[in-house]
Amino acid sequence: MFSIDRKDFGPGFTFGVATAAYQIEGGQGDGRGPSIWDSFSATPGNVHNGDTGRNACDHYELWPQDLDLIRDGGFDGYRFSFAWPRLIPEGTGAVNQAGLDFYDRLIDGMLERGIKPYATLYHWDLPSTLQDRGGWMNRDIAGWFGDYAALVATKFGDRLEATATINEPWCVAFLSHFIGAHAPGYRDIRAAARAMHHVLYAHGTAVDALRANGARNLGIVLNLEKSEPAGDAPGDLAAANMGDALANRWYLGGVLKGKYPEEVTNWLGEHLPSGYERDMEVVSRPLDWLGINYYTRGIYKASPAGLPQKVDGPLERTDIGWEIYPKGLTDLLVRVSNEYTKIPLYVTENGMAEVEGDDDPRRVTYYDDHLKAVLAAREQGADVRGYFAWSLLDNFEWAEGYNKRFGIVHVDYQTQVRTPKSSYRAFQGMLHNTR
Ligand code: IFM
């Protein structure tokens, strides 16, 4: 059980769970087009055990029982993502009616159960045909993404509580085009520089398209880390500063102030799209809320290669190796509130990977401590309006395949049987009958 109570958060605070389309849906036979994660995961060596999202949690068929779990847990909201290739199989042009029908059923199913739909347009499953045209490296993606956003706004906007454009642009750009760990798996500074700008230019373009077509309550979801130096050496301090600029300030500064950090523009230099400055007004379109995904901190030391190097810290870790550091969440929420924006903040993801099992006491403690960290941030003036646990279900954890489990509900991937874990029961105990 948690040590805190729903009442501690006051009336109107939203509790929810989060998932993403490619990680849970399966359902590839309805005319959905291929995505970059289908080809990336089919390429030997990219994903643990050769796992793919082909079947995942079969949420495409089993969504009614998944929504029942959300309702029965007492959650107010469900943060889900639309699969772009399910709605527009080639990325642009023809729309897939079966895809529209699926999200109609899903959204209506939420509303019938009293669950508020929090949508994300892009959680990493780019239509493969758009990758063939350069994907996030091609400036035209802003227009392609804007058209897709307009479709979502037109078909579903009146039923959505809130809509985010992009989930975790750092992952879309840097992790996928510079580090190469996620689809499309590039390791190239020019590819990264272009993706880093175009993902935010596409975000702003989508905000315009969503608003023009009647969607309301618009935001973006950033994954932020608490960047800290390994020691007091000037090199470590500089490394932590650059780590912070790359992970946090590029996105916070771009979206909320229309300005990228100079350390990063200097480093990227000629690789950035020329004239990117002219796009910054679009990049920084006013938003209604900001989503923050928080998992851990980053500890940096100077590296001879020039770029900051992450090192392991001494704290207890989750099953994926990330340090458990609730204070980092408080610090980040307060920092964003003090330095960047007064729009409402939401913790749109927080959670931990844990070894398989239905009894997950470490996860109960993790959630309890991070919920207390949210309360501490609110006491220090951060306007945090909601908290979404990652994730409702064990699911396809990208390059880790099905090996890492983040769910508050266990999934047996052979039978697709769902079993609530102790952490689900802890939320249920706190939330039940209070919606
Ligand atoms: O599973 C991911 C999710 O898709 C994005 N945020 C982090 C989670 C855990 O790695």
Side-chain angles (χ1 to χ4, degrees), residues 112-143:
E112 281 158 18
R113 290 167 178 80
I115 301 165
K116 293 177 189 159
Y118 287 78
T120 301
L121 294 183
Y122 185 74
H123 199 127
W124 308 354
D125 41 0
L126 188 73
S128 300
T129 43
L130 298 186
Q131 189 62 47
D132 297 341
R133 295 154 79 181
W136 294 104
M137 298 175 291
N138 185 341
R139 180 184 169 81
D140 291 347
I141 198 160

Side-chain angles (χ1 to χ4, degrees), residues 23 123-124 167-168 293 295 322 349 390 397-398 406:
Q23 294 180 270
H123 199 127
W124 308 354
N167 181 73
E168 301 186 352
N293 293 354
Y295 289 91
W322 300 346
E349 285 182 27
W390 183 272
E397 177 52 26
W398 307 112
F406 276 86

Side-chain angles (χ1 to χ4, degrees), residues 21 71 144 347 370 395 415:
R71 178 199 58 206
W144 308 333
V347 177
H370 284 80
N395 59 48
T415 62

Side-chain angles (χ1 to χ4, degrees), residues 344-419:
L345 305 178
Y346 286 80
V347 177
T348 31
E349 285 182 27
N350 179 232
M352 71 176 275
E354 184 56 301
V355 291
E356 186 169 6
D358 304 343
D359 191 22
D360 56 348
R362 282 208 318 151
R363 188 181 275 118
V364 174
T365 304
Y366 180 101
Y367 278 124
D368 199 35
D369 289 344
H370 284 80
L371 286 168
K372 284 190 274 193
V374 172
L375 287 173
R378 279 162 53 110
E379 274 158 25
Q380 292 173 53
D383 184 10
V384 189
R385 303 274 183 97
Y387 176 96
F388 291 76
W390 183 272
S391 179
L392 172 66
L393 304 172
D394 290 336
N395 59 48
F396 177 77
E397 177 52 26
W398 307 112
E400 302 290 343
Y402 296 99
N403 190 39
K404 299 298 173 197
R405 291 174 176 265
F406 276 86
I408 59 172
V409 173
H410 176 268
V411 176
D412 179 327
Y413 296 114
Q414 303 306 315
T415 62
Q416 293 296 353
V417 168
R418 276 83 161 128
T419 308

Side-chain angles (χ1 to χ4, degrees), residues 238 241-242 244-246 249 260-268:
N241 179 61
M242 187 62 172
D244 180 54
L246 283 166
R249 283 188 280 122
Y260 294 140
E262 262 178 28
E263 302 91 315
V264 183
T265 50
N266 289 342
W267 173 61
L268 293 172

